[in-house]
Amino acid sequence: MSAQLSKTASALPYMANVSQFFSNPSWDVVLIVALIAMGFFYGLMRGHRKISAAIIYTYVAMTVFQALPMDNLSKSFGSGNSFIFKSVSFIVLLFLLIFLLGTRRRKGFGASGAWWHIFILSFLQVSLLAHILLGFLPADQIINLAPITRTFFASQSYNTWWVIVPIFLVALTRRIDFRED
């Protein structure tokens, strides 16, 4: 009985931290939760195939972006904030690729595929974008992020995770869809 009480007592400070976190969340956590929610609803509206294509276009944009001399371009445009310049440039490049490489066919409006496929892929799409964009932050500004955002989205130790898992799950969900058809 006393062991159970000591476990409960040791969990109270943790619960207070969790309560404090949810009662006063930082801007970056709110932004990521909002992006994930918007991504999910976008996924429901567009469907499994469009989200899968958007993830693939994100990889193409990431590869092309790494080949561009962004620091030189930022200086030539006179941009004082490298993070904003790189973020806007990446988003513009991504939308350009979606527009140029995307199909012109309209197959209707609404979700296609299992809802849980759409949820997972939408989450991964938005999380991959958050990881890429937060990677543009200077190291001295990453310290200001909330610990959960800094750990999961801005840490270079999770870079492999955010690069491999989305494309792996796109391939896996496509295989599951082909089996169901």
mmCIF file of all heavy atoms in Angstrom, residues 50-97:
data_model
loop_
_atom_site.group_PDB
_atom_site.id
_atom_site.type_symbol
_atom_site.label_atom_id
_atom_site.label_comp_id
_atom_site.label_asym_id
_atom_site.label_seq_id
_atom_site.Cartn_x
_atom_site.Cartn_y
_atom_site.Cartn_z
ATOM 1 N N LYS A 50 -3.933 12.206 -52.989
ATOM 2 C CA LYS A 50 -3.410 13.567 -53.034
ATOM 3 C C LYS A 50 -2.423 13.815 -51.888
ATOM 4 O O LYS A 50 -1.424 14.504 -52.078
ATOM 5 C CB LYS A 50 -4.547 14.598 -52.962
ATOM 6 C CG LYS A 50 -5.459 14.579 -54.157
ATOM 7 C CD LYS A 50 -4.801 15.246 -55.330
ATOM 8 C CE LYS A 50 -5.816 15.334 -56.462
ATOM 9 N NZ LYS A 50 -5.286 15.932 -57.650
ATOM 10 N N ILE A 51 -2.718 13.284 -50.723
ATOM 11 C CA ILE A 51 -1.792 13.435 -49.596
ATOM 12 C C ILE A 51 -0.509 12.667 -49.884
ATOM 13 O O ILE A 51 0.594 13.161 -49.619
ATOM 14 C CB ILE A 51 -2.441 12.961 -48.276
ATOM 15 C CG1 ILE A 51 -3.581 13.898 -47.892
ATOM 16 C CG2 ILE A 51 -1.421 12.884 -47.153
ATOM 17 C CD1 ILE A 51 -3.158 15.296 -47.558
ATOM 18 N N SER A 52 -0.630 11.462 -50.440
ATOM 19 C CA SER A 52 0.569 10.693 -50.805
ATOM 20 C C SER A 52 1.407 11.456 -51.823
ATOM 21 O O SER A 52 2.637 11.523 -51.714
ATOM 22 C CB SER A 52 0.178 9.330 -51.386
ATOM 23 O OG SER A 52 -0.470 8.546 -50.427
ATOM 24 N N ALA A 53 0.748 12.052 -52.806
ATOM 25 C CA ALA A 53 1.470 12.829 -53.809
ATOM 26 C C ALA A 53 2.133 14.054 -53.176
ATOM 27 O O ALA A 53 3.268 14.393 -53.513
ATOM 28 C CB ALA A 53 0.522 13.257 -54.923
ATOM 29 N N ALA A 54 1.447 14.699 -52.240
ATOM 30 C CA ALA A 54 2.017 15.872 -51.569
ATOM 31 C C ALA A 54 3.267 15.494 -50.773
ATOM 32 O O ALA A 54 4.239 16.260 -50.727
ATOM 33 C CB ALA A 54 0.982 16.524 -50.665
ATOM 34 N N ILE A 55 3.262 14.317 -50.160
ATOM 35 C CA ILE A 55 4.450 13.864 -49.430
ATOM 36 C C ILE A 55 5.602 13.640 -50.395
ATOM 37 O O ILE A 55 6.739 14.057 -50.141
ATOM 38 C CB ILE A 55 4.134 12.588 -48.620
ATOM 39 C CG1 ILE A 55 3.217 12.932 -47.442
ATOM 40 C CG2 ILE A 55 5.414 11.929 -48.111
ATOM 41 C CD1 ILE A 55 2.721 11.738 -46.664
ATOM 42 N N ILE A 56 5.328 13.037 -51.531
ATOM 43 C CA ILE A 56 6.380 12.805 -52.523
ATOM 44 C C ILE A 56 6.897 14.141 -53.061
ATOM 45 O O ILE A 56 8.109 14.335 -53.222
ATOM 46 C CB ILE A 56 5.868 11.887 -53.646
ATOM 47 C CG1 ILE A 56 5.622 10.491 -53.072
ATOM 48 C CG2 ILE A 56 6.844 11.837 -54.810
ATOM 49 C CD1 ILE A 56 4.863 9.555 -53.966
ATOM 50 N N TYR A 57 6.007 15.101 -53.320
ATOM 51 C CA TYR A 57 6.425 16.421 -53.779
ATOM 52 C C TYR A 57 7.269 17.131 -52.720
ATOM 53 O O TYR A 57 8.167 17.905 -53.053
ATOM 54 C CB TYR A 57 5.232 17.291 -54.148
ATOM 55 C CG TYR A 57 4.434 16.773 -55.317
ATOM 56 C CD1 TYR A 57 3.064 16.951 -55.372
ATOM 57 C CD2 TYR A 57 5.047 16.106 -56.372
ATOM 58 C CE1 TYR A 57 2.321 16.489 -56.452
ATOM 59 C CE2 TYR A 57 4.308 15.626 -57.445
ATOM 60 C CZ TYR A 57 2.959 15.827 -57.475
ATOM 61 O OH TYR A 57 2.231 15.363 -58.532
ATOM 62 N N THR A 58 6.975 16.883 -51.457
ATOM 63 C CA THR A 58 7.776 17.468 -50.380
ATOM 64 C C THR A 58 9.208 16.942 -50.432
ATOM 65 O O THR A 58 10.163 17.699 -50.241
ATOM 66 C CB THR A 58 7.148 17.169 -49.008
ATOM 67 O OG1 THR A 58 5.802 17.659 -49.000
ATOM 68 C CG2 THR A 58 7.924 17.831 -47.888
ATOM 69 N N TYR A 59 9.354 15.643 -50.706
ATOM 70 C CA TYR A 59 10.702 15.084 -50.849
ATOM 71 C C TYR A 59 11.428 15.696 -52.044
ATOM 72 O O TYR A 59 12.620 16.002 -51.955
ATOM 73 C CB TYR A 59 10.643 13.564 -51.010
ATOM 74 C CG TYR A 59 10.420 12.845 -49.722
ATOM 75 C CD1 TYR A 59 9.178 12.346 -49.386
ATOM 76 C CD2 TYR A 59 11.465 12.654 -48.831
ATOM 77 C CE1 TYR A 59 8.968 11.681 -48.210
ATOM 78 C CE2 TYR A 59 11.266 11.984 -47.639
ATOM 79 C CZ TYR A 59 10.013 11.506 -47.330
ATOM 80 O OH TYR A 59 9.808 10.862 -46.149
ATOM 81 N N VAL A 60 10.736 15.871 -53.147
ATOM 82 C CA VAL A 60 11.352 16.479 -54.329
ATOM 83 C C VAL A 60 11.761 17.918 -54.007
ATOM 84 O O VAL A 60 12.883 18.349 -54.332
ATOM 85 C CB VAL A 60 10.400 16.427 -55.548
ATOM 86 C CG1 VAL A 60 10.969 17.189 -56.723
ATOM 87 C CG2 VAL A 60 10.097 14.984 -55.929
ATOM 88 N N ALA A 61 10.877 18.665 -53.343
ATOM 89 C CA ALA A 61 11.194 20.051 -52.972
ATOM 90 C C ALA A 61 12.383 20.099 -52.020
ATOM 91 O O ALA A 61 13.256 20.975 -52.151
ATOM 92 C CB ALA A 61 9.979 20.719 -52.336
ATOM 93 N N MET A 62 12.444 19.170 -51.090
ATOM 94 C CA MET A 62 13.556 19.121 -50.141
ATOM 95 C C MET A 62 14.878 18.880 -50.873
ATOM 96 O O MET A 62 15.891 19.520 -50.587
ATOM 97 C CB MET A 62 13.294 18.018 -49.101
ATOM 98 C CG MET A 62 14.269 17.981 -47.965
ATOM 99 S SD MET A 62 13.776 16.843 -46.632
ATOM 100 C CE MET A 62 13.660 15.287 -47.469
ATOM 101 N N THR A 63 14.864 17.990 -51.854
ATOM 102 C CA THR A 63 16.072 17.684 -52.610
ATOM 103 C C THR A 63 16.499 18.871 -53.470
ATOM 104 O O THR A 63 17.674 19.242 -53.487
ATOM 105 C CB THR A 63 15.839 16.447 -53.497
ATOM 106 O OG1 THR A 63 15.424 15.364 -52.664
ATOM 107 C CG2 THR A 63 17.080 16.061 -54.251
ATOM 108 N N VAL A 64 15.557 19.482 -54.179
ATOM 109 C CA VAL A 64 15.876 20.639 -55.016
ATOM 110 C C VAL A 64 16.345 21.799 -54.144
ATOM 111 O O VAL A 64 17.315 22.494 -54.479
ATOM 112 C CB VAL A 64 14.660 21.044 -55.880
ATOM 113 C CG1 VAL A 64 14.885 22.379 -56.574
ATOM 114 C CG2 VAL A 64 14.340 19.953 -56.879
ATOM 115 N N PHE A 65 15.694 22.006 -53.028
ATOM 116 C CA PHE A 65 16.034 23.117 -52.139
ATOM 117 C C PHE A 65 17.462 22.983 -51.608
ATOM 118 O O PHE A 65 18.178 23.982 -51.505
ATOM 119 C CB PHE A 65 15.040 23.168 -50.973
ATOM 120 C CG PHE A 65 15.181 24.386 -50.118
ATOM 121 C CD1 PHE A 65 14.595 25.577 -50.507
ATOM 122 C CD2 PHE A 65 15.903 24.351 -48.938
ATOM 123 C CE1 PHE A 65 14.723 26.716 -49.722
ATOM 124 C CE2 PHE A 65 16.038 25.483 -48.163
ATOM 125 C CZ PHE A 65 15.448 26.666 -48.551
ATOM 126 N N GLN A 66 17.872 21.766 -51.282
ATOM 127 C CA GLN A 66 19.230 21.550 -50.773
ATOM 128 C C GLN A 66 20.282 21.845 -51.836
ATOM 129 O O GLN A 66 21.421 22.149 -51.504
ATOM 130 C CB GLN A 66 19.385 20.130 -50.245
ATOM 131 C CG GLN A 66 18.633 19.889 -48.964
ATOM 132 C CD GLN A 66 18.658 18.429 -48.530
ATOM 133 O OE1 GLN A 66 19.095 17.552 -49.252
ATOM 134 N NE2 GLN A 66 18.171 18.187 -47.324
ATOM 135 N N ALA A 67 19.904 21.754 -53.103
ATOM 136 C CA ALA A 67 20.849 22.025 -54.189
ATOM 137 C C ALA A 67 20.973 23.519 -54.491
ATOM 138 O O ALA A 67 21.913 23.933 -55.164
ATOM 139 C CB ALA A 67 20.420 21.277 -55.455
ATOM 140 N N LEU A 68 20.039 24.328 -53.992
ATOM 141 C CA LEU A 68 20.066 25.767 -54.262
ATOM 142 C C LEU A 68 20.994 26.480 -53.272
ATOM 143 O O LEU A 68 21.044 26.119 -52.093
ATOM 144 C CB LEU A 68 18.658 26.355 -54.147
ATOM 145 C CG LEU A 68 17.622 25.835 -55.131
ATOM 146 C CD1 LEU A 68 16.251 26.395 -54.800
ATOM 147 C CD2 LEU A 68 18.021 26.191 -56.550
ATOM 148 N N PRO A 69 21.677 27.514 -53.727
ATOM 149 C CA PRO A 69 22.549 28.285 -52.819
ATOM 150 C C PRO A 69 21.726 29.311 -52.026
ATOM 151 O O PRO A 69 21.762 30.514 -52.301
ATOM 152 C CB PRO A 69 23.526 28.966 -53.782
ATOM 153 C CG PRO A 69 22.740 29.131 -55.039
ATOM 154 C CD PRO A 69 21.817 27.938 -55.105
ATOM 155 N N MET A 70 20.978 28.835 -51.043
ATOM 156 C CA MET A 70 20.033 29.697 -50.328
ATOM 157 C C MET A 70 20.703 30.826 -49.557
ATOM 158 O O MET A 70 20.157 31.923 -49.470
ATOM 159 C CB MET A 70 19.150 28.865 -49.401
ATOM 160 C CG MET A 70 18.199 27.944 -50.132
ATOM 161 S SD MET A 70 17.262 28.740 -51.441
ATOM 162 C CE MET A 70 16.265 29.878 -50.551
ATOM 163 N N ASP A 71 21.878 30.588 -48.983
ATOM 164 C CA ASP A 71 22.546 31.660 -48.243
ATOM 165 C C ASP A 71 22.937 32.805 -49.175
ATOM 166 O O ASP A 71 22.759 33.979 -48.845
ATOM 167 C CB ASP A 71 23.770 31.111 -47.503
ATOM 168 C CG ASP A 71 23.376 30.179 -46.366
ATOM 169 O OD1 ASP A 71 22.288 30.384 -45.786
ATOM 170 O OD2 ASP A 71 24.152 29.249 -46.072
ATOM 171 N N ASN A 72 23.440 32.472 -50.354
ATOM 172 C CA ASN A 72 23.800 33.502 -51.334
ATOM 173 C C ASN A 72 22.564 34.235 -51.844
ATOM 174 O O ASN A 72 22.575 35.448 -52.024
ATOM 175 C CB ASN A 72 24.568 32.897 -52.514
ATOM 176 C CG ASN A 72 25.913 32.360 -52.100
ATOM 177 O OD1 ASN A 72 26.448 32.729 -51.054
ATOM 178 N ND2 ASN A 72 26.470 31.475 -52.907
ATOM 179 N N LEU A 73 21.483 33.478 -52.094
ATOM 180 C CA LEU A 73 20.241 34.112 -52.557
ATOM 181 C C LEU A 73 19.668 35.035 -51.486
ATOM 182 O O LEU A 73 19.162 36.114 -51.795
ATOM 183 C CB LEU A 73 19.217 33.040 -52.940
ATOM 184 C CG LEU A 73 19.496 32.257 -54.219
ATOM 185 C CD1 LEU A 73 18.489 31.117 -54.369
ATOM 186 C CD2 LEU A 73 19.442 33.177 -55.422
ATOM 187 N N SER A 74 19.733 34.603 -50.245
ATOM 188 C CA SER A 74 19.226 35.416 -49.136
ATOM 189 C C SER A 74 19.984 36.734 -49.048
ATOM 190 O O SER A 74 19.386 37.794 -48.866
ATOM 191 C CB SER A 74 19.352 34.640 -47.831
ATOM 192 O OG SER A 74 18.952 35.423 -46.739
ATOM 193 N N LYS A 75 21.308 36.673 -49.208
ATOM 194 C CA LYS A 75 22.123 37.897 -49.158
ATOM 195 C C LYS A 75 21.845 38.789 -50.360
ATOM 196 O O LYS A 75 21.787 40.010 -50.238
ATOM 197 C CB LYS A 75 23.604 37.533 -49.104
ATOM 198 C CG LYS A 75 24.013 36.942 -47.781
ATOM 199 C CD LYS A 75 25.463 36.497 -47.803
ATOM 200 C CE LYS A 75 25.786 35.738 -46.535
ATOM 201 N NZ LYS A 75 27.135 35.135 -46.594
ATOM 202 N N SER A 76 21.664 38.190 -51.551
ATOM 203 C CA SER A 76 21.429 38.999 -52.748
ATOM 204 C C SER A 76 20.064 39.688 -52.729
ATOM 205 O O SER A 76 19.893 40.742 -53.321
ATOM 206 C CB SER A 76 21.593 38.159 -54.012
ATOM 207 O OG SER A 76 20.573 37.204 -54.103
ATOM 208 N N PHE A 77 19.090 39.072 -52.050
ATOM 209 C CA PHE A 77 17.782 39.710 -51.917
ATOM 210 C C PHE A 77 17.756 40.680 -50.745
ATOM 211 O O PHE A 77 16.749 41.333 -50.501
ATOM 212 C CB PHE A 77 16.670 38.666 -51.753
ATOM 213 C CG PHE A 77 16.236 38.044 -53.041
ATOM 214 C CD1 PHE A 77 16.636 36.759 -53.373
ATOM 215 C CD2 PHE A 77 15.441 38.736 -53.934
ATOM 216 C CE1 PHE A 77 16.244 36.175 -54.557
ATOM 217 C CE2 PHE A 77 15.046 38.166 -55.129
ATOM 218 C CZ PHE A 77 15.446 36.878 -55.443
ATOM 219 N N GLY A 78 18.835 40.732 -49.989
ATOM 220 C CA GLY A 78 18.910 41.657 -48.862
ATOM 221 C C GLY A 78 18.032 41.248 -47.700
ATOM 222 O O GLY A 78 17.606 42.080 -46.914
ATOM 223 N N SER A 79 17.753 39.959 -47.596
ATOM 224 C CA SER A 79 16.899 39.478 -46.518
ATOM 225 C C SER A 79 17.705 39.405 -45.222
ATOM 226 O O SER A 79 18.726 38.738 -45.150
ATOM 227 C CB SER A 79 16.352 38.088 -46.867
ATOM 228 O OG SER A 79 15.627 37.560 -45.787
ATOM 229 N N GLY A 80 17.225 40.118 -44.223
ATOM 230 C CA GLY A 80 17.901 40.105 -42.931
ATOM 231 C C GLY A 80 17.575 38.878 -42.115
ATOM 232 O O GLY A 80 18.343 38.467 -41.256
ATOM 233 N N ASN A 81 16.443 38.247 -42.391
ATOM 234 C CA ASN A 81 16.031 37.077 -41.618
ATOM 235 C C ASN A 81 16.119 35.850 -42.519
ATOM 236 O O ASN A 81 15.248 35.606 -43.352
ATOM 237 C CB ASN A 81 14.606 37.280 -41.095
ATOM 238 C CG ASN A 81 14.232 36.225 -40.070
ATOM 239 O OD1 ASN A 81 14.794 35.136 -40.034
ATOM 240 N ND2 ASN A 81 13.271 36.575 -39.234
ATOM 241 N N SER A 82 17.150 35.080 -42.318
ATOM 242 C CA SER A 82 17.400 33.903 -43.146
ATOM 243 C C SER A 82 16.300 32.852 -42.974
ATOM 244 O O SER A 82 15.924 32.187 -43.935
ATOM 245 C CB SER A 82 18.757 33.306 -42.782
ATOM 246 O OG SER A 82 18.988 32.132 -43.491
ATOM 247 N N PHE A 83 15.763 32.708 -41.753
ATOM 248 C CA PHE A 83 14.715 31.715 -41.493
ATOM 249 C C PHE A 83 13.474 32.004 -42.328
ATOM 250 O O PHE A 83 12.934 31.109 -42.981
ATOM 251 C CB PHE A 83 14.355 31.691 -40.005
ATOM 252 C CG PHE A 83 13.119 30.895 -39.704
ATOM 253 C CD1 PHE A 83 13.117 29.516 -39.805
ATOM 254 C CD2 PHE A 83 11.942 31.531 -39.340
ATOM 255 C CE1 PHE A 83 11.981 28.775 -39.544
ATOM 256 C CE2 PHE A 83 10.797 30.801 -39.069
ATOM 257 C CZ PHE A 83 10.815 29.424 -39.172
ATOM 258 N N ILE A 84 13.034 33.236 -42.329
ATOM 259 C CA ILE A 84 11.827 33.585 -43.085
ATOM 260 C C ILE A 84 12.073 33.434 -44.579
ATOM 261 O O ILE A 84 11.235 32.888 -45.304
ATOM 262 C CB ILE A 84 11.339 35.004 -42.729
ATOM 263 C CG1 ILE A 84 10.838 35.005 -41.289
ATOM 264 C CG2 ILE A 84 10.263 35.483 -43.688
ATOM 265 C CD1 ILE A 84 10.369 36.326 -40.770
ATOM 266 N N PHE A 85 13.227 33.873 -45.054
ATOM 267 C CA PHE A 85 13.547 33.752 -46.478
ATOM 268 C C PHE A 85 13.563 32.289 -46.905
ATOM 269 O O PHE A 85 12.969 31.922 -47.921
ATOM 270 C CB PHE A 85 14.893 34.417 -46.787
ATOM 271 C CG PHE A 85 15.257 34.343 -48.241
ATOM 272 C CD1 PHE A 85 14.687 35.222 -49.146
ATOM 273 C CD2 PHE A 85 16.144 33.386 -48.700
ATOM 274 C CE1 PHE A 85 15.002 35.152 -50.500
ATOM 275 C CE2 PHE A 85 16.471 33.307 -50.043
ATOM 276 C CZ PHE A 85 15.895 34.193 -50.945
ATOM 277 N N LYS A 86 14.229 31.450 -46.124
ATOM 278 C CA LYS A 86 14.306 30.029 -46.469
ATOM 279 C C LYS A 86 12.939 29.355 -46.374
ATOM 280 O O LYS A 86 12.588 28.538 -47.230
ATOM 281 C CB LYS A 86 15.303 29.314 -45.561
ATOM 282 C CG LYS A 86 16.741 29.639 -45.862
ATOM 283 C CD LYS A 86 17.680 28.897 -44.934
ATOM 284 C CE LYS A 86 19.123 29.203 -45.241
ATOM 285 N NZ LYS A 86 20.031 28.498 -44.313
ATOM 286 N N SER A 87 12.160 29.696 -45.348
ATOM 287 C CA SER A 87 10.834 29.089 -45.184
ATOM 288 C C SER A 87 9.907 29.453 -46.331
ATOM 289 O O SER A 87 9.250 28.580 -46.910
ATOM 290 C CB SER A 87 10.208 29.515 -43.857
ATOM 291 O OG SER A 87 10.973 29.068 -42.775
ATOM 292 N N VAL A 88 9.856 30.738 -46.668
ATOM 293 C CA VAL A 88 8.992 31.182 -47.759
ATOM 294 C C VAL A 88 9.469 30.584 -49.076
ATOM 295 O O VAL A 88 8.656 30.131 -49.897
ATOM 296 C CB VAL A 88 8.937 32.725 -47.812
ATOM 297 C CG1 VAL A 88 8.273 33.218 -49.086
ATOM 298 C CG2 VAL A 88 8.212 33.265 -46.588
ATOM 299 N N SER A 89 10.767 30.545 -49.279
ATOM 300 C CA SER A 89 11.319 29.968 -50.518
ATOM 301 C C SER A 89 10.959 28.493 -50.635
ATOM 302 O O SER A 89 10.591 28.018 -51.718
ATOM 303 C CB SER A 89 12.838 30.119 -50.554
ATOM 304 O OG SER A 89 13.207 31.464 -50.559
ATOM 305 N N PHE A 90 11.055 27.764 -49.530
ATOM 306 C CA PHE A 90 10.716 26.342 -49.572
ATOM 307 C C PHE A 90 9.236 26.140 -49.871
ATOM 308 O O PHE A 90 8.877 25.294 -50.698
ATOM 309 C CB PHE A 90 11.084 25.646 -48.255
ATOM 310 C CG PHE A 90 10.797 24.179 -48.281
ATOM 311 C CD1 PHE A 90 11.689 23.306 -48.878
ATOM 312 C CD2 PHE A 90 9.629 23.662 -47.742
ATOM 313 C CE1 PHE A 90 11.422 21.945 -48.936
ATOM 314 C CE2 PHE A 90 9.358 22.314 -47.793
ATOM 315 C CZ PHE A 90 10.255 21.454 -48.389
ATOM 316 N N ILE A 91 8.368 26.895 -49.223
ATOM 317 C CA ILE A 91 6.922 26.765 -49.453
ATOM 318 C C ILE A 91 6.583 27.119 -50.901
ATOM 319 O O ILE A 91 5.785 26.423 -51.547
ATOM 320 C CB ILE A 91 6.126 27.648 -48.464
ATOM 321 C CG1 ILE A 91 6.365 27.196 -47.026
ATOM 322 C CG2 ILE A 91 4.644 27.654 -48.793
ATOM 323 C CD1 ILE A 91 5.819 25.836 -46.667
ATOM 324 N N VAL A 92 7.183 28.179 -51.426
ATOM 325 C CA VAL A 92 6.942 28.565 -52.825
ATOM 326 C C VAL A 92 7.411 27.454 -53.758
ATOM 327 O O VAL A 92 6.707 27.079 -54.713
ATOM 328 C CB VAL A 92 7.624 29.913 -53.154
ATOM 329 C CG1 VAL A 92 7.673 30.171 -54.653
ATOM 330 C CG2 VAL A 92 6.917 31.044 -52.436
ATOM 331 N N LEU A 93 8.595 26.904 -53.498
ATOM 332 C CA LEU A 93 9.113 25.805 -54.310
ATOM 333 C C LEU A 93 8.192 24.594 -54.243
ATOM 334 O O LEU A 93 7.893 23.968 -55.268
ATOM 335 C CB LEU A 93 10.527 25.433 -53.852
ATOM 336 C CG LEU A 93 11.184 24.258 -54.572
ATOM 337 C CD1 LEU A 93 11.397 24.569 -56.047
ATOM 338 C CD2 LEU A 93 12.497 23.911 -53.894
ATOM 339 N N LEU A 94 7.704 24.276 -53.061
ATOM 340 C CA LEU A 94 6.795 23.137 -52.905
ATOM 341 C C LEU A 94 5.517 23.345 -53.709
ATOM 342 O O LEU A 94 5.086 22.461 -54.444
ATOM 343 C CB LEU A 94 6.473 22.912 -51.421
ATOM 344 C CG LEU A 94 5.495 21.786 -51.106
ATOM 345 C CD1 LEU A 94 6.048 20.434 -51.555
ATOM 346 C CD2 LEU A 94 5.187 21.764 -49.621
ATOM 347 N N PHE A 95 4.910 24.523 -53.597
ATOM 348 C CA PHE A 95 3.682 24.787 -54.354
ATOM 349 C C PHE A 95 3.936 24.817 -55.861
ATOM 350 O O PHE A 95 3.090 24.378 -56.633
ATOM 351 C CB PHE A 95 3.006 26.077 -53.884
ATOM 352 C CG PHE A 95 2.235 25.907 -52.608
ATOM 353 C CD1 PHE A 95 2.565 26.641 -51.487
ATOM 354 C CD2 PHE A 95 1.195 25.002 -52.517
ATOM 355 C CE1 PHE A 95 1.871 26.484 -50.305
ATOM 356 C CE2 PHE A 95 0.490 24.829 -51.341
ATOM 357 C CZ PHE A 95 0.827 25.576 -50.230
ATOM 358 N N LEU A 96 5.085 25.321 -56.263
ATOM 359 C CA LEU A 96 5.441 25.296 -57.680
ATOM 360 C C LEU A 96 5.543 23.856 -58.190
ATOM 361 O O LEU A 96 5.030 23.538 -59.270
ATOM 362 C CB LEU A 96 6.786 25.994 -57.891
ATOM 363 C CG LEU A 96 6.751 27.377 -58.472
ATOM 364 C CD1 LEU A 96 8.109 28.043 -58.349
ATOM 365 C CD2 LEU A 96 6.282 27.367 -59.887
ATOM 366 N N LEU A 97 6.195 23.009 -57.418
ATOM 367 C CA LEU A 97 6.315 21.604 -57.817
ATOM 368 C C LEU A 97 4.960 20.909 -57.848
ATOM 369 O O LEU A 97 4.685 20.126 -58.754
ATOM 370 C CB LEU A 97 7.273 20.863 -56.887
ATOM 371 C CG LEU A 97 8.745 21.210 -57.057
ATOM 372 C CD1 LEU A 97 9.573 20.583 -55.962
ATOM 373 C CD2 LEU A 97 9.237 20.782 -58.424
#
